[in-house]
Amino acid sequence: MSHARAAGRTAVRLGAAALAAVLLAACGGAPEGAAGGADGKVTVTVDLFGSFGYEEAGLYAEYEKLHPGVTVKQTDTEDEADYWKSLQTRLAGGGGLADVQAIEVGRIASAVQQQGDRFEDLRAYGAESLRSGFPEAKWAAATGKDGRIVGLGTDVGPEAMCYRTDLLAQAGLPTDREELAQRWSTWEGYLELGRQYQAKAPAKSAWIDSVGSLYSVMIGQQKERYYDASGTLVWETNPALKTAWDTSVSAAQSGLSAKLDQWSPQWNQAFAAGSFATLPCPAWMLGYIKGQAGEAGKGKWDIAKLPGGAGNWGGSYLAVPRAAKHKKEAYELIAWLTAPEQQAKLFRKQGNFPSATGAIAQIADATDPYFSGAPIGRIFGEAAKAAPVQVLGVHDQNIAQQITNALGEVERKGTAPEQAWGNARKGVRNTIG
Amino acid sequence: MTLTAPARTAPPPAPPGRAPGARRAWRKASPYAYIAPFFTLFAAFGLFPLLYTAYVSLYRVELQTPGDMQWRGLGNYTALFGDEFFWISLRNTFTIGVLSTVPQLAMALGLAHLLNHRLRGRTFFRTAMLLPYATSVAAATLVFSQLYGRDFGLVNYVLGLAGIDPVDWQTGTFASQAAVSTIVIWRWTGYNALIYLAGMQSIPHELYEAAEMDGASRWRQFLHVTLPGLRPTIVFTAVVSTIGATQLFGEPLLFEGSLSGGISHQYQTLGLYMYEQGWGFFHLGRAAAVAWVMFLLIVLLVGANALIARRRTRKEAGR
């Protein structure tokens, strides 16, 4: 038996050696700045989610022309939730990070408060000088208590209401954007129009895509949502949240919704099929609508002012992780991409609404032929100016997901609202855990 | 083991010209050297993660701040057992497991029986059986979730032709679980059928001939010759399928792309629940606790399986 034991010890030692090798390989990574290359050529990697549209708007090509020797390489994940998950895993492990990583506004509090030290403090590169070009709210959200700047603001998500003129006409409703804005100046008015629509609507067509989107847009009109200014969780007692919930429940129970799950394949197909007549749309949604509804949808869509006042849904930041290989080049790139000229260009081509104050002025007169020539510069510009400065919290996105799920239960399964609300509470408790 | 261990015999004489001691030592040690690669890898990628997971499950660890570990004792486990969604996912795992495993193995058995006959293009059919297994889970699930679409799905379209109202395959509890199960069935039936086929071919042909002489129908032959002969194979597939069903993850995750297994957790399996805790909410400690509970559950299930199988064999032997 002594042989066996010796062999056993050897096996353990071999195992330990193998393990050590694996761990070493995992921790090592590339030494900082080593990949710059002797020939002065640098590839800056950019990792994004959804549709930032830089590539489509030709901004990378322009940047490469202005900076010979720099190549920009982009990767993109469609769903932000998937993107965030993988970013978290890579931040925790410290490997596989791109030179530029995007952060959604719903996550920026988490990035600043919990992971500030994993990102470069952009003050070191002179970001302080850019502060005056951005609205205070956009800038402050990415600034830590110690003054560190984690990211530069890209777009914001001022909201409006997108609608299908052809479907509204078939149901005998007005199609003029000014008249509609007046008729649905409140959410009650919007639901009332919805009931009229539903009474005479074309077959298999509903007033709104989902009550989840109704909830999201209403909550986007609030200053305080899930946390109060001191950082305490208040969502269970927040009257504004209760109103948004009740209105969404009422829409679900009146059968105004097409019961679709946003970002699902079914939702995508519904754009072309005309399954819903109205869709609350942040500026960045315009590009998405064009992509899903396609050429055939051109001229059928229009945009009016949002019921119940201005709101904001989404918007993003670009950050440079500590583990990035080309930090200086990465900073130069994001400073250029978020500069007013580029933001204005991006809005004209892709619809992402600029956060830089200089750019907002530049695009005031923009219209969009796809949306029946709607004055998008004016509509979204006014919404951006009037939108509240939101209190952001660490778990915003996950809490919103739980509530949207619960609304889905009411909408699609006919669950009693009280029970669904209870499920949302359990879900949130799990989230915060 | 005691029965199969060979009786000790004197070592064969060493060939001349070699030191007998070293040779004998090598002969005794060499099996360990041969199996060392597997056990080394197992220690690094199996045992170490297993133990480390157990360690992590006793702490509060968040993915965003992995360096900051707070001792929590069994807190993660008690929180788990107090969580309604854990029990829902446990129940779902069981129902989806039954919904997918039972029809799957029954169909595989039938298919194998048919393929065991002489028929034209046998090789083609046998290869075709493995095709679903060779497809990636992701691709298969994405196609199935399109088929099961509520508004534009093919399944509802066909049901509509038969005058049946569209079914919301993603929202209904039974409907969604049945839909997820069909993906599992589609992927694994052929695989199991081939295993059964291999088992069937080791059953002596004379038994069938004798049965035929006695005038047994094909069905009788299947019941009285094939099934008893296949018993060890069936036990094997049942064990493997049970483990697979307990770990079911890819299909429900991609079916709707939702971490919670639908809006009201209606088809969330344990695997998905673990993933939601770890990579949805970033509670690594909680996720580690779920992983360990799953591990113990599988050990328990496999043990029960083996026990039942042994009981059967003993009963047979006693008959």
Side-chain angles (χ1 to χ4, degrees):
Chain A
M1 281 316 280
S2 67
H3 290 295
R5 214 174 293 148
R9 270 205 296 274
T10 316
V12 169
R13 259 182 239 135
L14 273 174
L19 193 64
V22 168
L23 289 178
L24 279 176
C27 301
E32 250 172 58
D39 51 355
K41 281 205 178 356
V42 167
T43 301
V44 180
T45 52
V46 179
D47 191 19
L48 309 174
F49 56 84
S51 46
F52 277 71
Y54 294 137
E55 198 145 46
E56 293 85 342
L59 290 183
Y60 295 147
E62 200 180 329
Y63 188 79
E64 284 166 1
K65 208 173 280 170
L66 289 170
H67 299 78
V70 175
T71 316
V72 183
K73 225 178 98 196
Q74 178 194 299
T75 46
D76 186 55
T77 311
E78 179 159 329
D79 188 342
E80 196 274 338
D82 293 337
Y83 166 84
W84 182 246
K85 255 184 307 213
S86 86
L87 175 62
Q88 288 305 311
T89 316
R90 283 178 287 153
L91 278 176
L97 289 156
D99 297 323
V100 174
Q101 295 280 170
I103 302 174
E104 216 268 342
V105 66
R107 314 281 193 188
I108 192 75
S110 163
V112 171
Q113 290 170 25
Q114 297 180 310
Q115 301 177 305
D117 55 345
R118 304 257 163 102
F119 292 99
E120 284 291 293
D121 181 355
L122 300 181
R123 282 181 302 184
Y125 301 88
E128 203 59 64
S129 66
L130 303 174
R131 177 188 281 264
S132 59
F134 289 88
E136 181 53 25
K138 185 76 181 170
W139 190 267
T143 309
K145 282 208 183 80
D146 55 353
R148 68 160 54 239
I149 298 166
V150 169
L152 296 183
T154 57
D155 59 329
V156 287
E159 289 178 296
M161 186 64 79
C162 293
Y163 61 96
R164 286 275 299 260
T165 48
D166 56 333
L167 293 179
L168 259 61
Q170 282 177 50
L173 292 178
T175 58
D176 177 63
R177 60 182 84 93
E178 300 301 332
E179 192 181 346
L180 278 172
Q182 212 171 19
R183 295 275 294 271
W184 66 39
S185 65
T186 63
W187 284 110
E188 212 17 77
Y190 172 78
L191 292 194
E192 186 44 47
L193 268 185
R195 288 183 197 105
Q196 289 175 27
Y197 176 82
Q198 223 63 54
K200 288 203 278 177
K204 290 194 176 178
S205 171
W207 180 235
I208 189 170
D209 66 324
S210 68
V211 297
S213 77
L214 183 57
Y215 168 81
S216 295
V217 70
M218 289 187 74
I219 211 72
Q221 295 173 322
Q222 303 307 321
K223 185 175 179 311
E224 278 185 5
R225 301 175 298 175
Y226 308 109
Y227 294 83
D228 69 8
S230 70
T232 317
L233 264 185
V234 294
W235 71 280
E236 282 185 79
T237 50
N238 184 353
L241 202 146
K242 174 116 177 59
T243 310
W245 169 271
D246 288 342
T247 310
S248 308
V249 164
S250 143
Q253 291 177 338
S254 312
L256 299 185
S257 146
K259 305 181 185 182
L260 292 158
D261 189 13
Q262 287 205 316
W263 316 112
S264 71
Q266 291 190 54
W267 188 61
N268 292 343
Q269 287 167 323
F271 279 94
S275 304
F276 50 83
T278 65
L279 174 70
C281 52
W284 45 261
M285 189 79 92
L286 303 190
Y288 197 85
I289 295 177
K290 287 177 199 171
Q292 296 302 333
E295 256 328 282
K298 193 173 177 179
K300 284 186 186 160
W301 288 83
D302 204 335
I303 305 174
K305 229 174 117 181
L306 190 70
N312 184 74
W313 178 3
S316 299
Y317 291 86
L318 294 178
V320 182
R322 263 280 152 81
K325 287 196 189 100
H326 311 294
K327 294 173 188 152
K328 196 170 144 292
E329 290 83 357
Y331 174 76
E332 282 162 9
L333 174 66
I334 64 175
W336 187 82
L337 284 174
T338 54
E341 302 75 48
Q342 277 64 250
Q343 291 206 9
K345 216 173 285 171
L346 196 62
F347 177 74
R348 290 190 189 279
K349 293 211 170 126
Q350 295 300 118
N352 297 20
F353 198 81
S355 62
T357 24
I360 298 176
Q362 285 181 36
I363 50 122
D365 59 338
T367 57
D368 194 328
Y370 191 94
F371 291 89
S372 311
I376 52 173
R378 182 172 61 76
I379 293 178
F380 287 115
E382 282 171 4
K385 262 179 238 156
V389 177
Q390 287 170 337
V391 177
L392 303 174
V394 174
H395 292 294
D396 277 359
Q397 210 80 321
N398 279 332
I399 300 175
Q401 182 62 50
Q402 297 301 327
I403 296 177
T404 313
N405 274 353
L407 280 173
E409 292 190 82
V410 178
E411 175 187 41
R412 292 199 257 160
K413 298 183 109 170
T415 308
E418 299 76 35
Q419 197 191 334
W421 179 257
N423 290 347
R425 271 169 60 177
K426 274 181 237 155
V428 171
R429 210 179 306 140
N430 241 330
T431 289
I432 294 163
Chain B
M1 278 310 280
T2 45
L3 283 177
T4 50
R8 283 201 178 275
T9 49
R18 288 242 190 128
R23 206 183 143 73
R24 197 181 307 141
W26 168 243
R27 182 166 296 176
K28 282 205 171 158
S30 60
Y32 296 104
Y34 293 135
I35 58 170
F38 168 77
F39 282 97
T40 312
L41 285 177
F42 171 72
F45 297 105
L47 199 60
F48 171 71
L50 190 72
L51 297 178
Y52 189 69
T53 306
Y55 167 74
V56 167
S57 74
L58 302 176
Y59 288 85
R60 177 190 288 277
V61 194
E62 301 289 299
L63 181 64
Q64 281 135 331
T65 50
D68 175 23
M69 290 172 84
Q70 283 167 24
W71 173 253
R72 224 186 152 192
L74 293 178
N76 282 325
Y77 291 92
T78 47
L80 192 62
F81 295 132
D83 180 12
E84 190 188 324
F85 298 135
F86 167 74
W87 297 107
I88 292 180
S89 64
L90 184 65
R91 198 184 60 211
N92 290 347
T93 308
F94 179 75
T95 49
I96 296 178
V98 171
L99 275 176
S100 58
T101 310
V102 173
Q104 179 195 142
L105 294 185
M107 276 161 58
L109 209 53
L111 274 172
H113 183 63
L114 293 178
L115 280 180
N116 202 20
H117 290 297
R118 288 186 185 285
L119 49 99
R120 217 174 276 176
R122 207 160 51 165
T123 322
F124 166 77
F125 286 115
R126 287 178 185 177
T127 317
M129 299 272 272
L130 260 188
L131 279 182
Y133 173 65
T135 340
S136 90
V137 195
T141 308
L142 291 180
V143 171
F144 270 88
S145 65
Q146 293 277 336
L147 293 181
Y148 281 115
R150 186 194 61 200
D151 296 332
F152 311 104
L154 187 67
V155 176
N156 275 347
Y157 173 75
V158 172
L159 287 181
L161 293 183
I164 300 170
D165 281 340
V167 178
D168 192 346
W169 291 104
Q170 289 176 332
T171 309
T173 306
F174 178 75
S176 62
Q177 295 194 0
V180 170
S181 298
T182 53
I183 311 173
V184 181
I185 294 173
W186 178 80
R187 271 196 90 218
W188 290 93
T189 302
Y191 174 86
N192 283 309
L194 284 193
I195 292 183
Y196 286 147
L197 186 60
M200 281 175 191
Q201 287 178 344
S202 69
I203 298 172
H205 201 68
E206 296 79 53
L207 288 179
Y208 289 102
E209 280 172 3
E212 212 155 312
M213 293 251 233
D214 291 345
S217 65
R218 284 247 187 251
W219 174 239
R220 290 247 151 226
Q221 286 177 27
F222 178 73
L223 277 187
H224 295 289
V225 181
T226 312
L227 273 189
L230 269 185
R231 182 154 298 133
T233 319
I234 294 176
V235 171
F236 170 76
T237 53
V239 169
V240 170
S241 304
T242 310
I243 296 177
T246 318
Q247 296 181 326
L248 191 66
F249 172 68
E251 287 88 348
L253 173 68
L254 295 169
F255 184 53
E256 212 180 351
S258 124
L259 288 188
S260 56
I263 45 176
S264 45
H265 303 251
Q266 68 268 26
Y267 59 90
Q268 186 175 41
T269 58
L270 279 176
L272 208 49
Y273 178 79
M274 174 178 78
Y275 188 70
E276 189 189 30
Q277 290 292 339
W279 281 268
F281 306 150
F282 304 140
H283 305 324
L284 291 187
R286 269 296 274 287
V290 185
W292 254 82
V293 169
M294 278 175 71
F295 172 68
L296 294 178
L297 191 73
I298 291 176
V299 169
L300 213 73
L301 282 172
V302 171
N305 242 321
L307 211 67
I308 293 169
R310 207 198 292 164
R311 273 250 175 95
R312 285 292 310 230
T313 345
R314 206 174 288 160
K315 230 159 102 190
E316 298 269 306
R319 221 169 29 195

